[in-house]
C-alpha cells in the first residue's frame, strides 16, 4: 500500500478520501475524532478507514464523511450540512457517466486489435463469397428468385452473427452489478454507452461485406439503392446486437442464452415469409410473422432491388421500402428499453 503516492477511497460512489498516502494517518485520526472512535496506535490505516466508513453508514452518518473533491488534497472537508436524504444518488451526472463508460468500453475494444482485424477481414471475405456465388444475376424470374435467396441469407448471416454479443455482456454482468450497487453510474448511462461503442465497428463491417456483394451481384448502379442496402444491413446488425444483449440479460448462463437466442431467431426466420408466403401462414401464427425480425429487412431489400412487376410475386408491389426501416428502428429501440428495464429490475435490490 505504501508504494502508492496518491489514493482514493470511495463509498457508494462518493469520495471519502482523496489525497497523498502520507496524509492518510492524519485523515484517519480526524475521522475517528468526528465519529468518536479511538484509533489504535498500531493499525492498518486503509482497513481502519473502511471500518469507520461502514460504522458511519450503519449509524446513518456516512454523509458526514463525503469529501469535497474541489478542495486541496491536504484539506479535509466533512459535509456536516449534507444529510443522507439530501446527498446525490450518483457521483456524476448522466452525461459524464455516459462519456466515461463509452471511453472505457472503447479502450477495452482497442486492447484486442487482432480480434477486431479478424472480424473485418471475415466480413470482407463473406461479402466476396456471397458476391461470387450470386455473381451477375439475370433479370429474369430465375435471377429474381436467386436474388431473393441471397438477400435472405445475407440478413440471416447478420442476425445470427450478432449472437456473439451474448458472451460480451455475460462477462460484464458482475462488473456492472458491483459498480451499479455502489452508485458509480446509472443503468441508463450503461445502456447508452454499450450501444454507442459498437456503432463504428458495425459501420465498417457493413461496408466491407455489403459493397462487394452489391456490385458483384449486378444490382443497379444507383447510389441511393446502394446506400439504402447498407442502411438496412446496419440497422439489422444493430437490431441483432440489441437482441443478443437483451436475451443475455434475461438468461444468466451464456450457453443457455445462446441456445435460446438461436431458437428464437430460427422461429423468426421460419415465420418471415421466405419459406412460406404470408397468405399461407395459419391465422394462429400470423402474429409471429409480423413480429419476425427477418421480415422487415428482407422486404426492404427486395423492394429496393426489384421493380413493381417483379415484386408482385412477393406481394410487395406498391409497398414503401421505408416501412421496413421504421420497423427495424422501432424494434431496436424496444429491445434497448427492455434491456434497460431488465437491468433496473434484476438489480433493484443492489441500490439502497
Amino acid at each position: 500500500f505504501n508504494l502508492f503516492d496518491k489514493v482514493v477511497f470511495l463509498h457508494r460512489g462518493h469520495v471519502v478520501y482523496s489525497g497523498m498516502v502520507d496524509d492518510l494517518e492524519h485523515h484517519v485520526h480526524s475521522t475517528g475524532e468526528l465519529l468518536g472512535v479511538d484509533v489504535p496506535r498500531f493499525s492498518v490505516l486503509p482497513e481502519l478507514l473502511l471500518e469507520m466508513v461502514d460504522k458511519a453508514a450503519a449509524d446513518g452518518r456516512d454523509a458526514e464523511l463525503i469529501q469535497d473533491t474541489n478542495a486541496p488534497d491536504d484539506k479535509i472537508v466533512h459535509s456536516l450540512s449534507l444529510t443522507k436524504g439530501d446527498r446525490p444518488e450518483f457521483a456524476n451526472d448522466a452525461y459524464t457517466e455516459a462519456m466515461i463508460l463509452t471511453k472505457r468500453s472503447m479502450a477495452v475494444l482497442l486492447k484486442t486489435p487482432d480480434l477486431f482485424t479478424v472480424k473485418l477481414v471475415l466480413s470482407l471475405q463473406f461479402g466476396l463469397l456471397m458476391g461470387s456465388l450470386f455473381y451477375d444475376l439475370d433479370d429474369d424470374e430465375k435471377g429474381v428468385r436467386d436474388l431473393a435467396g441471397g438477400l435472405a441469407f445475407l440478413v440471416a448471416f447478420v442476425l445470427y452473427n450478432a449472437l456473439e454479443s451474448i458472451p460480451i455482456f455475460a462477462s460484464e454482468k458482475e462488473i456492472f452489478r458491483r459498480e451499479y450497487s455502489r452508485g458509480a453510474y446509472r443503468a441508463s448511462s450503461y445502456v447508452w454507452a454499450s450501444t454507442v461503442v459498437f456503432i463504428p465497428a458495425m459501420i465498417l463491417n457493413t461496408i466491407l461485406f455489403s459493397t462487394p456483394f452489391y456490385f458483384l451481384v449486378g444490382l443497379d448502379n444507383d447510389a441511393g439503392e446502394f446506400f439504402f442496402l447498407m442502411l438496412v444491413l446496419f440497422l439489422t446488425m444493430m437490431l441483432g446486437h440489441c437482441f443478443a444483449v437483451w436475451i443475455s440479460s434475461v438468461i444468466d448462463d451464456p450457453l443457455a442464452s445462446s441456445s435460446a437466442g438461436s431458437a428464437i431467431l430460427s422461429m423468426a426466420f421460419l415465420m418471415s415469409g421466405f419459406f412460406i408466403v404470408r397468405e399461407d401462414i395459419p391465422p394462429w401464427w400470423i402474429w409471429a410473422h409480423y413480429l419476425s425480425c427477418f421480415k422487415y429487412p428482407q422486404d426492404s431489400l427486395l423492394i429496393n432491388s426489384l421493380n413493381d412487376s417483379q415484386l408482385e410475386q412477393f406481394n410487395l408491389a406498391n409497398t414503401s421500402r421505408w416501412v421496413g426501416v421504421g420497423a427495424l428502428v422501432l424494434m431496436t429501440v424496444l429491445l434497448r428499453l427492455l434491456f434497460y428495464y431488465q437491468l433496473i429490475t434484476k438489480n433493484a435490490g443492489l441500490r439502497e
Side-chain angles (χ1 to χ4, degrees):
F1 177 79
N2 290 327
L3 295 177
F4 291 104
D5 294 322
K6 297 181 66 176
V7 291
V8 176
F9 287 83
L10 299 178
H11 171 64
R12 296 177 179 174
H14 301 284
V15 177
V16 293
Y17 178 74
S18 175
M20 306 299 294
V21 170
D22 295 338
D23 298 331
L24 181 61
E25 182 176 2
H26 173 69
H27 179 81
V28 170
H29 281 279
S30 176
T31 302
E33 294 177 2
L34 178 69
L35 300 177
V37 176
D38 294 331
V39 178
R41 184 177 180 181
F42 300 101
S43 59
V44 181
L45 295 178
E47 294 182 2
L48 183 59
L49 178 60
L50 295 177
E51 291 176 0
M52 289 182 177
V53 172
D54 290 339
K55 181 180 184 304
D59 297 338
R61 300 182 60 190
D62 49 333
E64 300 179 17
L65 304 184
I66 297 175
Q67 193 174 47
D68 183 2
T69 55
N70 294 320
D73 289 340
D74 58 349
K75 181 180 180 181
I76 301 171
V77 180
H78 296 290
S79 303
L80 296 173
S81 61
L82 186 63
T83 64
K84 187 175 182 179
D86 294 333
R87 71 185 181 197
E89 187 178 3
F90 296 95
N92 298 296
D93 59 87
Y95 175 79
T96 303
E97 291 173 354
M99 292 300 101
I100 293 174
L101 289 172
T102 302
K103 291 179 181 178
R104 186 179 73 175
S105 299
M106 187 64 69
V108 172
L109 288 178
L110 294 177
K111 287 181 179 179
T112 56
D114 294 339
L115 178 61
F116 182 72
T117 303
V118 168
K119 288 183 178 180
L120 295 181
V121 172
L122 290 177
S123 295
L124 179 60
Q125 290 179 343
F126 177 78
L128 292 171
L129 172 64
M130 289 288 293
S132 61
L133 182 63
F134 295 91
Y135 179 74
D136 198 18
L137 293 177
D138 296 327
D139 202 25
D140 55 9
E141 183 178 350
K142 179 179 179 298
V144 170
R145 186 172 62 251
D146 289 344
L147 177 60
L151 292 175
F153 188 82
L154 200 62
V155 172
F157 168 78
V158 171
L159 288 173
Y160 278 101
N161 195 50
L163 292 179
E164 68 180 12
S165 299
I166 289 178
I168 295 177
F169 176 70
S171 63
E172 294 181 354
K173 282 182 181 179
E174 290 304 319
I175 298 175
F176 170 79
R177 288 171 180 167
R178 181 174 66 251
E179 295 177 341
Y180 178 71
S181 66
R182 297 175 179 176
Y185 46 77
R186 298 164 178 81
S188 58
S189 301
Y190 178 81
V191 172
W192 170 262
S194 63
T195 303
V196 172
V197 72
F198 289 102
I199 289 180
M202 289 182 183
I203 293 176
L204 285 176
N205 278 283
T206 302
I207 294 173
L208 286 176
F209 72 73
S210 62
T211 301
F213 172 82
Y214 186 91
F215 291 104
L216 288 174
V217 168
L219 296 175
D220 292 341
N221 191 18
D222 183 277
E225 294 182 4
F226 171 65
F227 286 111
F228 184 84
L229 177 136
M230 286 203 300
L231 173 64
V232 171
L233 292 178
F234 166 75
L235 292 176
T236 304
M237 188 179 297
M238 177 65 74
L239 174 63
H241 169 75
C242 293
F243 169 76
V245 173
W246 170 73
I247 200 71
S248 180
S249 69
V250 175
I251 305 174
D252 288 331
D253 184 76
L255 293 178
S257 56
S258 296
S259 299
S262 298
I264 294 173
L265 287 181
S266 298
M267 179 180 177
F269 197 15
L270 182 62
M271 296 294 178
S272 65
F274 178 75
F275 300 100
I276 177 173
V277 297
R278 180 181 58 196
E279 288 72 16
D280 294 338
I281 297 178
W284 53 86
W285 279 116
I286 197 64
W287 60 270
H289 171 71
Y290 289 105
L291 290 179
S292 172
C293 55
F294 288 82
K295 165 184 166 55
Y296 300 103
Q298 288 176 186
D299 288 354
S300 290
L301 293 178
L302 284 173
I303 297 170
N304 182 62
S305 306
L306 304 176
N307 56 46
D308 288 339
S309 61
Q310 293 170 330
L311 288 171
E312 289 180 357
Q313 60 181 300
F314 302 101
N315 297 319
L316 293 173
N318 301 319
T319 303
S320 174
R321 62 182 181 176
W322 293 100
V323 173
V325 172
L328 286 172
V329 173
L330 181 62
M331 296 173 76
T332 301
V333 173
L334 178 61
L335 284 171
R336 284 282 89 179
L337 293 175
L338 289 174
F339 176 55
Y340 170 72
Y341 177 78
Q342 188 68 20
L343 288 180
I344 61 175
T345 55
K346 203 167 187 177
N347 300 286
L350 300 178
R351 297 287 296 137
E352 296 182 0

